[in-house]
Amino acid sequence: MRYQETLLLLHELFYRQAIASDVVQIVNAALFHLSHEEKSRLYSDLTEAALNGLYPLLDELLLPTEAKEHLTYRYFLVLSKVAAQHRMDRRLLQQISREYDRTSYVALESLLISLLKENRIHEGDLDILEHIHTKAMIKETFASRVRAKIANGKYLSTDDVKKLLEYKKYAMLQEALLQNAVEYETLYLFVPPNTGDQNYKHKNRLYLCASQLLRK
């Protein structure tokens, strides 16, 4: 069965209300005729109906792990975009977290990091992600807490600033300085960088912003 015919079959299979009892066998029979490359790119061409229908069956489908990971990623990506509200629904976030725990798919971690960077995860829901101890997740979860702190009118502490410098969150630090959201004593952490230092321009910009605040 050709690739396009398989896509059409999958759409029609899950678009109608009644799903056949032998749906797994039907899907696997169709997938059997696809090449590894076609299976790996299947996720990008599925209709929403097919995507929603295939996701619950993934463990039983004859797909390589890479294809399952991509399909899982797109399933949750579509759900996160469908959500009209700016912030992610807690239940959906818990579902993504559980699936990450079960599969350790890097693509799901990337999705969570994107949601954090887009400020779409509410401060009160960050606890859902605290058990994910990858460097990227620890960094972005911390940055999300700091954004919430600034938004709530609180000042960044010395520890906050040290962490942000360690994580190279220069734009966030500059925004905090421009909003005068850094504790006064902490301004002394911003020192003039040496010529040739890595990220010299960013560090110098922070130093100049802090210096202006210290002169007030």
Side-chain angles (χ1 to χ4, degrees), residues 28 33 54 71 79 84 115 137 152 155 172 177 195 210 215:
N28 279 334
H33 298 282
L54 288 174
L71 197 148
L79 284 181
L115 293 170
M137 282 296 294
N152 291 330
Y155 289 96
M172 184 179 296
L177 288 168
T195 304
R215 286 196 293 268

Side-chain angles (χ1 to χ4, degrees), residues 55-74:
Y55 171 73
L57 309 176
L58 273 183
D59 288 344
E60 302 175 77
L61 299 184
L62 299 176
L63 286 170
T65 301
E66 175 189 3
K68 291 183 178 182
E69 179 172 0
H70 287 159
L71 197 148
T72 300
Y73 168 79
R74 182 160 179 254

Side-chain angles (χ1 to χ4, degrees), residues 9 13 29 44 71-72 79 105 108 110 120 122 130 150 164-165 176-178 203 205:
L9 180 148
L13 184 63
S44 62
L71 197 148
T72 300
L79 284 181
Y105 286 156
L108 288 182
S110 297
R120 292 195 58 205
H122 190 273
E130 286 181 344
I150 296 172
L164 290 174
L165 287 170
L177 288 168
L178 291 173
K203 292 176 181 177
R205 205 172 292 133

Side-chain angles (χ1 to χ4, degrees), residues 152-212:
N152 291 330
K154 297 179 181 179
Y155 289 96
L156 301 191
S157 67
T158 299
D159 287 340
D160 291 334
V161 171
K162 284 181 177 179
K163 275 290 185 184
L164 290 174
L165 287 170
E166 177 188 340
Y167 293 150
K168 299 181 181 179
K169 292 291 185 179
Y170 302 121
M172 184 179 296
L173 282 166
Q174 184 173 348
E175 185 63 27
L177 288 168
L178 291 173
Q179 294 185 36
N180 197 14
V182 177
E183 291 178 353
Y184 186 83
E185 296 77 9
T186 301
L187 294 173
Y188 291 98
L189 289 175
F190 300 99
V191 297
N194 296 316
T195 304
D197 276 2
Q198 189 177 21
N199 300 303
Y200 173 85
K201 289 184 179 179
H202 294 292
K203 292 176 181 177
N204 193 53
R205 205 172 292 133
L206 294 176
Y207 166 69
L208 293 175
C209 287
S211 296
Q212 287 181 339

Side-chain angles (χ1 to χ4, degrees), residues 12-13 15-20:
E12 292 180 344
L13 184 63
Y15 183 74
R16 59 177 192 251
Q17 293 292 326
I19 302 298

Side-chain angles (χ1 to χ4, degrees), residues 32 35 46 52 70 96 167 182:
F32 178 79
S35 67
L46 292 170
N52 292 337
H70 287 159
I96 297 174
Y167 293 150
V182 177

